[in-house]
Amino acid sequence: KTANAIDLLGTSRTINTYEVGNNYYLIDGSRSMFDLGQSNMPNNPQGVIWTVDAFNQFPSSGFSYGHVSSSNNNWTNSRTGVSAHHNAAKAYEYFKNTHQREAISGTGQNIVSFINVSESNGQDMDNAFWNGVAMFYGNGDKAFKPLARGLDVAGHEMTHGVVQSSANLEYYGESGALNESFADIFGVMIDRDDWNVGDDVANSNVFPTGTMRSMS
């Protein structure tokens, strides 16, 4: 299914959702990589863009999470989910259309975004990250607004996955610096509004310029 929904920027987005029984899920099975035959919907999809709720927890041992769902395909109460879902789809489309790359690995595995991620002590997370398997978005604290707001943030984190599955640059020293550099550059290539990284998520009291970094 599709839905028109408002994201964290207050912008109406058309997002792809998936209906199972009487519920709709932030699962995009509309792409060529989707394998319905190998999927058990909605809990074990194959080849989808999937947005998951971390329930304000940190991903560690005993971490529990669940679907972002709706009974009527209305996502008014899930603006964070709408943003993460839309941004992951735009990042996927960039790598697919510009570089003929099917998802993160190039072979079409799931693209998973976790929203409502907290620090290990339960405090609000002022960060977003790629952990080797999925993208994780905190809701911000002092330095940042909710990190799922930023398309360049999503592009940056997804690119870490692309780097991992291609060059596999060790996250240390110069190779780690190159890893971050590539993530920034692809982030602004995916978000074509400007050359800034993080301008939709940075709080000006911490970042007086209104952005984290400028690629110009």
Side-chain angles (χ1 to χ4, degrees):
K1 304 291 183 179
T2 60
N4 293 317
I6 304 298
D7 69 1
L8 288 169
L9 297 173
T11 303
S12 180
R13 307 294 190 184
T14 299
I15 57 172
N16 291 287
T17 63
Y18 205 95
E19 182 184 12
V20 181
N22 296 319
N23 283 305
Y24 298 82
Y25 300 91
L26 286 186
I27 298 175
D28 180 353
S30 69
R31 314 296 173 164
S32 57
M33 64 179 179
F34 180 47
D35 189 342
L36 179 59
Q38 296 297 315
S39 298
N40 181 11
M41 303 297 293
N43 295 327
N44 188 25
Q46 300 296 317
V48 301
I49 301 169
W50 188 7
T51 302
V52 182
D53 197 335
F55 302 131
N56 296 306
Q57 297 175 81
F58 182 80
S60 60
S61 177
F63 174 53
S64 62
Y65 50 87
H67 289 288
V68 183
S69 63
S70 166
S71 61
N72 58 4
N73 211 18
N74 182 304
W75 304 94
T76 303
N77 296 323
S78 302
R79 290 192 175 193
T80 303
V82 171
S83 285
H85 204 57
H86 167 78
N87 291 340
K90 298 300 290 185
Y92 165 83
E93 289 167 3
Y94 169 79
F95 281 109
K96 175 75 170 179
N97 297 333
T98 304
H99 302 287
Q100 294 74 54
R101 186 177 185 85
E102 191 68 83
I104 294 169
S105 68
T107 58
Q109 94 281 22
N110 293 338
I111 298 171
V112 183
S113 303
F114 284 86
I115 60 170
N116 299 321
V117 180
S118 74
E119 296 286 0
S120 57
N121 61 5
Q123 291 184 340
D124 291 335
M125 177 176 282
D126 235 1
N127 196 14
F129 62 91
W130 165 262
N131 78 334
V133 178
M135 296 170 284
F136 292 78
Y137 298 100
N139 288 324
D141 187 13
K142 295 179 177 62
F144 297 109
K145 303 168 187 175
L147 279 298
R149 285 171 54 102
L151 174 56
D152 50 14
V153 175
H156 175 106
E157 301 306 341
M158 184 164 158
T159 300
H160 278 310
V162 173
V163 170
Q164 175 185 310
S165 62
S166 54
N168 197 26
L169 293 169
E170 182 182 1
Y171 203 75
Y172 177 80
E174 291 182 355
S175 62
L178 286 169
N179 194 332
E180 279 297 326
S181 173
F182 290 137
D184 273 352
I185 292 166
F186 278 98
V188 296
M189 294 306 292
I190 292 166
D191 182 355
R192 295 299 181 100
D193 288 347
D194 50 52
W195 289 104
N196 296 322
V197 177
D199 50 308
D200 288 325
V201 301
N203 284 329
S204 58
N205 59 326
V206 176
F207 299 95
T209 63
T211 189
M212 295 171 64
R213 296 182 288 281
S214 171
M215 294 296 102
S216 67

